[in-house]
Structures are given as C-alpha cells and as structure tokens.
Amino acid sequence: MIRVLNTILAVACAVALIGVYGLKFQSEGVAGRKIELGQTIIDQQNQLSLLRADWAYVNQPSYIEPIIDRHAETLDLAIIGAKQFKSLDELPMRPAQLDPDALTVLLNSLETGVDPIAALIEAN
C-alpha cells in the first residue's frame, strides 16, 4: 500500500514539476515579448519626435516662401488684401429653417463628386 502511495506521489510530483517548468518558460516568453514591445514603443516615440521636428521645419515661413514663389503663377496666388476681410455685421444671418430638399441635393452632389460651388458659379 505504501509502495503504491509513494509511486502515485512521485508521479504527481513529476507532473507538478513539469507544469511549473512549463509555466516558468511561458512567463519568460511573455516577459521577453513585453521588453520587445517596450523597445518598439520607445523607437516609435523617437521616430515621432523626429517627424515633429521635420514638420516644424517644413512649416516655417522661410521654407514655404520659395515653394510659394515657385508655384504662385500656376496656382494663381495673391497676397490677401485688407478689403477681403469683413466685419461680423456684414455676414448674412443664418436662415431660421434649413431647406431639407436643398440639403439633400447638396449631399447628393458631394457624393457624386460634383462641386456645388462650381456648379453655382457656372449657372450664374
């Protein structure tokens, strides 16, 4: 009886030992993956920092001005004049009720790719 009990306990210990080692290796794999992800996050943060620095450089007026000068004729660019600005009193009042049919036509024209402003300009 004692021999059978010892055998059962020895097998149970061996199974528990195998389970503990398996759990140990699995947790080491998870820890390694965590370290890899942490390093990936740090690398991406560094890349983001470089991209922000590049963006700040590209948005400087001294960088943009030669590009604008080069393409001003093609894009038909002009300096903003003071007469282009209006006061709030000169803005039209918002209509009390929006016309749902006009809104539907506007949304349909946008879905088809037609510029509604260009169509109004051509109609006038």
Side-chain angles (χ1 to χ4, degrees), residues 116-124:
I117 303 296
L120 284 175
I121 292 172
E122 289 176 8
N124 291 333

Side-chain angles (χ1 to χ4, degrees), residues 1-12:
M1 175 74 179
I2 297 232
R3 185 175 280 196
V4 173
L5 182 63
N6 285 338
T7 306
I8 292 173
L9 289 175
V11 171

